[in-house]
Amino acid sequence: MAATDNVDLTPITVITGFLGAGKTTLVNYILKEQNEWKICVLENEFGEVAIDDGLVAESLDAPEDLISMDNGCVCCSIRGDLVRTLGQLAARRKDFDAILLETTGLADPAPIVYTIQTNPKMSDNYRIDSIVCLADCKHLGAHLDEKKPDGSVNEALQQVAFADKILLNKVDLVTAEEKKALETRLKVINKFATVIETEKSRAPLEKIMGLNSFNMESILSYDPGFFDEESEKKIHNLELVQSVGIKFQGDLHAQYFNMFMMDLLRERAADLYRTKGLLSFHGQGDTKFVFQGVHEQINFGPSQKPWAADEVRENKFVFIGKNLDRKELTDSLMACLYKEDKNVA
């Protein structure tokens, strides 16, 4: 892990959501409703002519702070532009308290996260603060149901799966029953994301920014109940993508765990949208380890805080992806526990 302290890194809030979900409205709301933070907006729009930047620029005190990348999708051909743009900003990044990266409605957030976490020029200057997904309460269900050609990504599904915060927008346009049905479905796909109901993308800023909610430890402190066993009254899961939380006590055998993760990523990387973990290893004293991954790319290293003397050493894992088998994952992870060899004299 980079030695740079998280506090010194400029936080990036990635705003995703399908076309028309209300992303630009949210950006305008954030820029108009608060004056405590100086925010730089990185705008990306699918198509040759930028339209949204004009809407957002009206909300900025200094329009030159708006950097519009309008020649393609952030997660596709424009990825080089994202690196170049953030690289140019690095020298003056401390002029800003935060960066908002608004993606096109067709953007899969995984490559964005991958780029910022793995490119040294990015990870030495920036960190992902949160991924906020705008969910159009009226139309999201249809987007989630959309069948894509073999091998292609259902972008709406991936956006929900990757989010730390889901803004359930346009709740005034649906019935209570329709809203409840969508909330239930979102929880199956991504159980650990916070769902916030909004009208016209108006969300409390303190619930979506400055929380470092992309961080594994922040998620655990926010929702320790994520790993609780599901109730006997299970809802029949018809979703292709789902979230699974696993926890158990004990020290892991480093070699066994590394072998398990290598095999899992070799065989299932495409199916695993996000993985996160908080781990205790045999022979590592009080050092607590964390990891988080996007598909095959894993960041692993010591936590900022060690295991406390009175803290239960409980390993915790989060998996979000396609076709997950809770029992298989649990059994495989439990097999990584360190056991004293009783045959040794």
Side-chain angles (χ1 to χ4, degrees):
M1 280 192 169
T4 310
D5 193 328
N6 246 4
V7 177
D8 293 331
L9 302 178
T10 301
I12 295 178
T13 296
V14 181
I15 299 176
T16 71
F18 214 69
L19 297 165
K23 298 183 299 299
T24 300
T25 305
L26 173 65
V27 171
N28 278 301
Y29 167 69
I30 290 173
L31 295 176
K32 288 177 179 177
E33 295 292 328
Q34 66 84 34
N35 51 23
E36 296 177 12
W37 292 9
K38 186 171 174 60
I39 297 173
C40 177
V41 174
L42 299 183
E43 183 99 30
N44 168 66
E45 184 169 325
F46 187 75
E48 295 182 359
V49 180
I51 299 172
D52 288 351
D53 61 348
L55 299 174
V56 174
E58 295 174 4
S59 303
L60 286 166
D61 292 332
E64 65 270 19
D65 289 340
L66 176 67
I67 300 171
S68 180
M69 301 177 291
D70 55 5
N71 61 337
C73 181
V74 165
C75 66
C76 299
S77 61
I78 204 172
R79 191 191 303 183
D81 273 6
L82 177 63
V83 172
R84 183 164 61 250
T85 300
L86 289 173
Q88 292 169 347
L89 269 178
R92 53 183 295 223
R93 67 182 178 85
K94 296 205 173 179
D95 294 343
F96 305 107
D97 298 308
I99 292 174
L100 287 179
L101 173 58
E102 181 192 349
T103 68
T104 167
L106 299 177
D108 165 14
I112 298 171
V113 174
Y114 180 87
T115 298
I116 293 171
Q117 287 195 328
T118 59
N119 186 307
K121 292 181 181 178
M122 301 297 97
S123 58
D124 286 347
N125 292 289
Y126 305 99
R127 64 174 173 82
I128 301 290
D129 182 70
S130 64
I131 299 179
V132 178
C133 175
L134 266 290
D136 182 336
C137 212
K138 183 74 173 174
H139 301 109
L140 182 61
H143 292 313
L144 294 174
D145 289 336
E146 188 176 349
K147 303 298 182 190
K148 296 285 184 174
D150 289 345
S152 63
V153 173
N154 182 324
E155 297 89 351
L157 197 58
Q158 288 229 107
Q159 288 165 1
V160 170
F162 272 91
D164 306 304
K165 313 286 181 187
I166 298 174
L167 300 188
L168 199 55
N169 199 29
K170 306 182 184 180
V171 292
D172 51 322
L173 302 182
V174 297
T175 65
E177 291 76 18
E178 289 172 327
K179 183 183 72 173
K180 182 65 177 175
L182 183 57
E183 286 178 332
T184 300
R185 188 171 184 183
L186 292 176
K187 279 296 182 186
V188 170
I189 298 170
N190 187 342
K191 185 179 175 183
F192 79 83
T194 308
V195 177
I196 304 168
E197 294 184 15
T198 62
E199 295 180 19
K200 298 180 180 177
S201 305
R202 299 177 68 85
L205 301 189
E206 69 275 9
K207 291 188 177 181
I208 61 175
M209 296 186 69
L211 299 175
N212 198 19
S213 56
F214 187 76
N215 178 280
M216 176 66 185
E217 294 164 272
S218 296
I219 291 168
L220 297 182
S221 62
Y222 163 74
D223 185 13
F226 172 75
F227 299 92
D228 294 346
E229 284 296 322
E230 296 166 6
S231 65
E232 299 273 329
K233 244 170 67 178
K234 289 191 177 179
I235 300 169
H236 184 48
N237 179 22
L238 298 176
E239 295 295 340
L240 181 64
V241 176
Q242 59 184 302
S243 51
V244 171
I246 299 168
K247 66 176 181 179
F248 53 83
Q249 294 182 27
D251 290 334
L252 294 166
H253 191 298
Q255 183 179 355
Y256 294 170
F257 177 74
N258 286 336
M259 290 172 60
F260 162 74
M261 287 301 297
M262 287 172 60
D263 290 344
L264 181 67
L265 294 174
R266 184 178 65 249
E267 298 168 6
R268 302 288 306 279
D271 292 343
L272 291 169
Y273 291 168
R274 287 182 74 173
T275 52
K276 296 170 180 276
L278 191 151
L279 317 171
S280 175
F281 284 107
H282 173 74
Q284 294 298 318
D286 294 330
T287 304
K288 181 188 296 184
F289 289 85
V290 293
F291 79 86
Q292 54 185 355
V294 173
H295 293 304
E296 72 279 359
Q297 182 263 326
I298 296 284
N299 280 359
F300 175 86
S303 168
Q304 293 181 2
K305 295 181 180 179
W307 292 101
D310 59 348
E311 185 177 5
V312 176
R313 299 202 178 192
E314 197 165 47
N315 301 285
K316 297 181 178 181
F317 305 87
V318 172
F319 298 94
I320 300 178
K322 296 188 289 188
N323 306 313
L324 299 180
D325 186 321
R326 176 186 291 273
K327 185 178 186 306
E328 181 182 343
L329 287 169
T330 302
D331 291 347
S332 297
L333 286 167
M334 293 284 286
C336 296
L337 282 170
Y338 178 86
K339 300 178 180 66
E340 296 288 348
D341 189 345
K342 296 179 180 178
N343 296 321
V344 177

